[in-house]
Structures are given as structure tokens and as C-alpha cells.
Amino acid sequence: MKKISEQIKGKNPKAHTIHICAGGGCISAGEISVKEALENEIKKYALDGVVKVVETGCMDACSLGPLMVIYPEGVFYQKLKPSDAKEIVEEHLLKGRVVQRLLYKGPSGEIKPRATEEIPFFTRQVRIATRNLGVIDPASIEEYIARDGYFALRKALSMTPEMVIEEIKKSGLRGRGGAGFPTGLKWELTRKSKSDEKYLICNADEGDPGAFMDRSMMEGDPHSLLEGMAIGGYAIGAHQGYIYVRAEYPLAIERLKIAIKQAREYGLLGKDIFGSGFDFDVDLRIGAGAFVCGEETALIQSVEGKRGQPVQKPPYPAQSGLWKKPTVINNVETLVDVPYIINKGWEAFASIGTEKSKGTKVFALVGKVNNTGLVEVPMGTTLRELIFDIGGGIPGGKRFKAVQTGGPSGGCIPEEYLDTPIDYESLTSLGTIMGSGGMIVMDEDTCMVDVARFFLQFTADESCGKCTPCREGTYEMLEILDMIVDGKGTMEDIEALEKLARVISKTALCGLGQTAPNPVLSTLRYFRDEYEAHVKEKRCPAKSCKALIAYRIDPAKCTGCTACARACPTGAITGEVRKVHTIDQEKCIKCGSCFEVCRFDAVEKIDAVDLHAKIV
């Protein structure tokens, strides 16, 4: 310690606040180890009195994590490792010198020290639902209040419930969970229902593959959700709210529990909130991860302790929901938008977006795109702007092929519709849906038949089994798709697949079954040629389906480096050092390991039907 003290003797270290992303993505990438190493170095140099480390919610740019921003400079460091902590403390915090190698670099190699203010991924976003993510400590109610937290609740309690509902109706807010039903109208219908008790449920059962919008908001800004629920409860006349969150979200559950405890201690949940006479409290209900429980009637069954299965409608939850009482169900993003609308006024929200789709929408941008992460943009932003301007385009110079929206219930949109504005009506016209906001980008190497099979496999597995069209029909469709990708399908199979999909969409009991065929119907609509290639030519155009491809080694390019042979798990590749290698097709399991490790492009992926013609 004496040596360290001598190093900083006579210096006056500048006060800094370090925001380190503690969203689920960065934690899985090693944020905790980075934070611990950073705090150890700060303590080692006796800087803990002037440097504050704050774990925030998701900072959006998941592909760059773990990441941090150091204030007051606003310097953005990315892809951090625990070993970087020492250099950050010694160079940036002690000497005031930015660590260049940890900064964001643009497509041309240009350095962006303040990336959050300099690159389109951040600057093109309009943050309403995500307004506090990456800004506050989610475990601190004081920091939330400092950002005007619970001011909207106080304002709402000075209005009549009818005035609050009218404010939401005028804002044009529609449900962000998928269907896009007008939120104010849903509240109004429940308000008018006569009952001694009413309930408000937050649907946080975010089950779409690749979606993490609601999780990030609960992890990074739980008080916004609680405030939105309290306002909604006041508007409809409910005194009890429930957050139905899946057990796979342990961090979100932990932070919600902390937030609920804090809000109760501050008198912001519970009895006589703000001395208004209004009572409202929130409890958690942990789901077991059943996708069908995203459907509102199945969710209600689960909250009641029953098996999560949908029930026939009507009556709708607004008339008879939880324990047969009028109930409003909104998803996380919808409720998080509410405090903003009440605070800023309906005009501020309605001025953003399109005529019928107001405000912003949060998307989880994932897949074959350079900048993956959480993105919030105005409704009406085009797919091209989102994927190429904000997302940075497709990695490796590959060609864009399609984007899948709406999760397993959505559809795939081809390149020709990239300039489509993102709003409820436009996406529906293309055969897909907005959904909760999952957006999966695909490149030229993606087989669209296999994509349809992947999502159908998911929904078939998640079917509750209550109705025959979904229980039996989805598995029948899956069997047909299995045959097609294995090269065993016929043209009659394609016709049967399409007919079956349309029958299921019209006859299934709930939204899960009714929308399960969407990935199949949309890929048949836009990529029928790929289905036909699998059937007629026994060929996968994307060279993705294992049964229809093979690997060979080009003798003109093979250097005999042995990398492919060492990577092969079955010993299918043989050859001496510095001599041409060959692949035993009987032993090859088509795992692609040889293709991935070859540095000389000597391993080729070819159509299985061409194998005998091309092998030397």
C-alpha cells in the first residue's frame, strides 16, 4: 500500500462514475468478473472515495458486451475482460488517458470514444420504454425518483380515473404484447364492468425465441413497471396487481422483488398512496415457462394455480378474468410506457409514429446482423433502416435474405419488402405480426424451409394439447417438413402442408394454435421456390439441410495443413502432411467442422446430388 500511495501522492484524482452494464447479456459475457476486477483495482489505488461503480440495466449493444461508460467524459468501453481493469484504472482514472484499444471502432476502423453519442445504433433510437436503461441503478428507488419516478403516479391520482383513461386513449398506445389492442379502450371496458373486485396482471411471460425486451426492462427499470401498474390499477378500479414472470428470468425476479419492497417502504405501493385513499399492491407469480401461458386466458388459469390452458372466449377478461372478476392484462412494455404518457402528456407520445401506430417499439434485434441488441425506434421506421442503418447490416458481406418478426407466431419478410414501415397494419399485410418485438435477421446461408420447421417444432412442443387442430395438426405439418428437408418430400406434400396450415389457423382454440402456421405460410408465400428445390431437385439452395449436402476437398487448394483432419470428430478425413486430403463420405456426419477451420477455402460445401460428379 505504501508503494501505491507514493504513486498517487500529490495527485488529485478526478471524481468518476462508471456505469457498467449488468443486463442479462453482459452478465453471461462476464460482467461480474469485470466489475470485481475493476473494484479491486479501484480499492488498490485508494480511489473508492472518488470513483463510483454502478451496475445498470441493459445498455442495448449486446454484441459489444461486457461494456461500460465512464462519466463525466462519457467514454464508452466495449468487449471488456477482467484483465482490462488494471489499465482502465491506471490510464483513464489516474492519468486521464483514454484506453484506445477498448473503444468502439466503426466499419472503416475509425475510433468512436463516445459511441453512445456517435454511432447510429444509439443515436437513431428514441428511448421511451427504455428511457432509464443503462442510466440508473435498478436496485435504487432513489435514482428512479431522481429521474421523475412516481411523479406520474402522483399526477394520475390528482385526476379522475376517467381522465387517466382518456389520456391513454388519446395517446394511441396499443398493446405491445402482440395483438396491438388499444390500451385505453381495454382499460375503459374493464372500468365499466360492475364488480366488487378487479385485477391488473402484467404479462411478463416473454417466451419468443430470441426475444428479451421485457426481460431487459424488468432487470434494468423495475420501478417503471410498478408505477405503470399502479396507474393502470387506479384507472380501472383495481387494488391488486400481479406480475406473471417466467422462472427462467431469475435476475428480473430478483430486481422486481427489491423494487416492490422499496416501493412499499416508501408508501408508493400499499395503503393510501400519496394520501389519496387509493390502495394498490403488486405480487409476483412465477410461471413454469409454458409458451401457451402468454395467451391471456391460459395465463389467468396459471395465476389461479390451475394448469395453463386457454379457455373459450367470450367472456373476455375485461368482463370475467382472474377469479371471474374483471381483469386487465398488459405486457411489460405497454405498462412501462404509461408513466411517460401521464408525465409528458398524450400529445408527446402521439406525435411519434404513424397515424394508426403511435409511439415507439422496442425490438430485440438478433441473428445475422452486425449490431445485435435492444433497439427502440419510432413506429413507422422501415425494416431497412432498422437492419442496415441501426443494425449495421449483414456480417461478412453476406446477402440479406429475410427477417422474421413476431416470434413463432410471426412470419418471414423477404428482401423486396425491406422498405416497409414497421407498424401493425403493414406487417399484417405481409403475412406476419408485430408480436412482442423479436426480430431475427437471416442471410443467404439460411434455409427458409428449415426456418419454418424450427419455429413449428417450437410451437408443436409448446402446444397445451387442449384442441385437436393444434395438438395433432402442428405435428402433422412437422412430419411433412421433416420429409421435405430430408429430400423425401413430394409436390403433393407441399400442397397438403399449405392446406393443413390454413385449416389450423382457422380452427385452433387460441392464438398460439391460430398463428402457429404463420412461419410456414409466409415462407411458402415468399420462398416457395426453395420448397420446390428440396422436392424436385433434392437440393437445398442455402446448402444448409444436412441430408441434401456433402463436403469435399478441392485438391487444387488443399495445402495438407491437417487442420481439417484434426477438427473432424469421426476421423473421416485422411491425408499426409503437405499432401492433399480426402473425405470418406461414409464416415462424414456433415458437422461442418472441416469447413469452418480450413484457412485456404479448400473444403467445399456442395449439393449431395452432385457429389459423385464433382469428387476427383
Side-chain angles (χ1 to χ4, degrees):
M1 281 300 296
K2 183 177 179 182
K3 183 178 180 182
I4 295 172
S5 299
E6 290 174 354
Q7 290 177 359
I8 62 174
K9 188 176 180 180
K11 296 182 180 180
N12 184 19
K14 187 177 180 180
H16 287 89
T17 299
I18 300 176
H19 283 187
I20 184 165
C21 177
C26 280
I27 287 177
S28 65
E31 175 270 336
I32 294 175
S33 297
V34 172
K35 175 177 175 284
E36 289 175 350
L38 185 67
E39 288 179 331
N40 287 338
E41 290 296 322
I42 289 171
K43 187 175 181 180
K44 175 178 151 184
Y45 284 98
L47 296 176
D48 39 324
V50 291
V51 177
K52 181 181 180 182
V53 179
V54 177
E55 283 188 298
T56 73
C58 178
M59 289 186 179
D60 300 345
C62 299
S63 58
L64 303 179
L67 52 88
M68 68 171 67
V69 179
I70 300 183
Y71 296 100
E73 298 92 337
V75 172
F76 179 93
Y77 289 131
Q78 45 122 30
K79 297 182 179 179
L80 299 170
K81 299 176 182 178
S83 57
D84 297 324
K86 181 178 176 63
E87 188 174 0
I88 290 172
V89 171
E90 292 181 350
E91 291 297 311
H92 190 133
L93 301 183
L94 282 174
K95 301 175 183 177
R97 298 195 295 225
V98 173
V99 183
Q100 299 288 316
R101 67 179 182 84
L102 298 176
L103 298 175
Y104 177 87
K105 295 178 178 61
S108 303
E110 67 275 21
I111 293 175
K112 305 287 187 181
R114 300 168 67 94
T116 55
E117 301 172 16
E118 297 174 296
I119 65 174
F121 181 83
F122 294 107
T123 60
R124 294 287 295 272
Q125 295 195 46
V126 176
R127 294 162 66 89
I128 293 178
T130 61
R131 58 193 177 274
N132 291 324
L133 298 191
V135 178
I136 66 170
D137 177 355
S140 170
I141 190 172
E142 292 85 3
E143 290 196 20
Y144 178 69
I145 291 172
R147 296 270 297 176
D148 294 337
Y150 292 104
F151 280 54
L153 176 57
R154 179 67 185 88
K155 181 179 178 181
L157 293 178
S158 69
M159 304 160 63
T160 66
E162 291 75 16
M163 291 168 63
V164 174
I165 291 172
E166 189 63 23
E167 196 80 1
I168 300 301
K169 287 175 67 176
K170 286 181 178 179
S171 74
L173 176 64
R174 296 170 64 174
R176 297 308 198 239
F181 191 84
T183 303
L185 178 58
K186 181 182 284 190
W187 287 10
E188 185 176 55
L189 292 171
T190 310
R191 176 76 190 174
K192 290 179 177 178
S193 294
K194 303 298 182 183
S195 178
D196 57 335
E197 287 183 283
K198 297 177 184 179
Y199 297 99
L200 187 145
I201 299 176
C202 171
N203 180 357
D205 190 61
E206 183 178 49
D208 293 357
F212 51 92
M213 303 77 58
D214 291 350
R215 172 174 62 79
S216 297
M217 283 180 265
M218 289 186 288
E219 290 174 353
D221 190 17
H223 283 286
S224 279
L225 174 56
L226 299 183
E227 185 175 14
M229 291 184 70
I231 293 170
Y234 175 70
I236 68 171
H239 300 290
Q240 179 64 50
Y242 295 98
I243 302 174
Y244 186 85
V245 57
R246 53 183 40 228
E248 295 94 331
Y249 286 178
L251 182 60
I253 292 170
E254 176 189 339
R255 291 181 177 167
L256 283 169
K257 286 180 177 178
I258 292 170
I260 291 171
K261 182 175 182 290
Q262 291 175 339
R264 286 171 178 165
E265 290 172 349
Y266 272 68
L268 300 168
L269 286 178
K271 300 289 185 181
D272 194 25
I273 298 173
F274 283 116
S276 64
F278 172 61
D279 304 336
F280 187 79
D281 207 351
V282 174
D283 287 309
L284 298 181
R285 289 292 183 268
I286 311 303
F291 182 67
V292 72
C293 287
E295 196 277 337
E296 58 183 9
T297 62
L299 186 155
I300 288 171
Q301 295 286 299
S302 185
V303 172
E304 290 179 348
K306 303 171 185 175
R307 182 177 180 180
Q309 288 187 318
V311 298
Q312 192 72 45
K313 293 183 288 189
Y316 293 94
Q319 287 77 45
S320 178
L322 187 63
W323 294 300
K324 308 301 181 184
K325 303 295 184 179
T327 304
V328 158
I329 302 177
N330 293 132
N331 91 317
V332 174
E333 185 180 347
T334 309
L335 291 164
V336 168
D337 280 335
V338 168
Y340 175 91
I341 294 169
I342 299 299
N343 257 339
K344 303 291 185 180
W346 66 266
E347 300 92 342
F349 191 83
S351 66
I352 303 169
T354 65
E355 181 182 354
K356 295 182 179 180
S357 299
K358 302 295 186 183
T360 59
K361 181 71 190 78
V362 183
F363 293 97
L365 187 63
V366 298
K368 302 297 182 65
V369 62
N370 281 308
N371 302 327
T372 60
L374 209 62
V375 179
E376 184 173 7
V377 294
M379 290 280 198
T381 300
T382 67
L383 290 166
R384 187 184 302 277
E385 290 173 313
L386 185 56
I387 296 166
F388 287 89
D389 296 346
I390 297 173
I394 315 303
K398 298 279 187 176
R399 181 177 60 83
F400 170 87
K401 190 171 194 176
V403 59
Q404 201 265 358
T405 69
S409 302
C412 299
I413 304 171
E415 185 176 19
E416 62 189 284
Y417 295 107
L418 270 175
D419 292 313
T420 299
I422 303 169
D423 59 54
Y424 293 100
E425 287 71 29
S426 296
L427 293 183
T428 300
S429 70
L430 295 179
T432 185
I433 59 174
M434 181 83 69
S436 59
M439 188 169 287
I440 303 174
V441 180
M442 307 166 200
D443 68 8
E444 60 191 66
D445 295 330
T446 305
C447 173
M448 302 311 296
V449 184
D450 196 42
V451 165
R453 182 176 69 159
F454 169 81
F455 284 109
L456 193 66
Q457 175 76 67
F458 179 86
T459 49
D461 289 345
E462 292 291 337
S463 172
C464 74
K466 186 172 184 178
C467 75
T468 303
C470 182
R471 182 184 67 245
E472 304 293 338
T474 53
Y475 272 101
E476 185 68 27
M477 289 177 65
L478 190 58
E479 287 180 2
I480 295 174
L481 285 168
D482 284 339
M483 289 192 294
I484 292 174
V485 298
D486 286 342
K488 300 174 183 177
T490 65
M491 291 301 293
E492 289 75 19
D493 287 329
I494 296 178
E495 293 175 10
L497 181 69
E498 187 167 20
K499 183 177 180 180
L500 191 54
R502 297 196 184 282
V503 170
I504 294 170
S505 65
K506 292 178 181 178
T507 59
L509 174 62
C510 78
L512 183 148
Q514 292 162 9
T515 58
N518 280 352
V520 175
L521 289 171
S522 65
T523 51
L524 279 170
R525 176 178 177 181
Y526 298 118
F527 300 97
R528 185 176 286 267
D529 58 321
E530 290 201 21
Y531 282 84
E532 294 180 353
H534 282 70
V535 169
K536 293 180 179 179
E537 305 170 31
K538 308 304 178 188
R539 180 177 63 85
C540 174
K543 291 185 173 61
S544 173
C545 297
K546 282 189 176 183
L548 303 180
I549 63 168
Y551 291 92
R552 71 176 291 271
I553 295 175
D554 185 345
K557 295 181 179 179
C558 181
T559 64
C561 71
T562 75
C564 59
R566 284 181 278 118
C568 180
T570 62
I573 301 176
T574 56
E576 298 178 19
V577 178
R578 296 191 179 87
K579 290 188 178 180
V580 174
H581 284 47
T582 58
I583 300 177
D584 183 340
Q585 298 299 326
E586 294 296 321
K587 293 183 178 180
C588 179
I589 59 173
K590 303 175 185 180
C591 66
S593 297
C594 56
F595 184 79
E596 293 171 2
V597 301
C598 182
R599 294 177 293 131
F600 305 100
D601 296 326
V603 180
E604 299 176 330
K605 190 190 298 186
I606 64 173
D607 295 322
V609 294
D610 296 334
L611 179 64
H612 297 296
K614 292 189 176 182
I615 286 184
V616 174

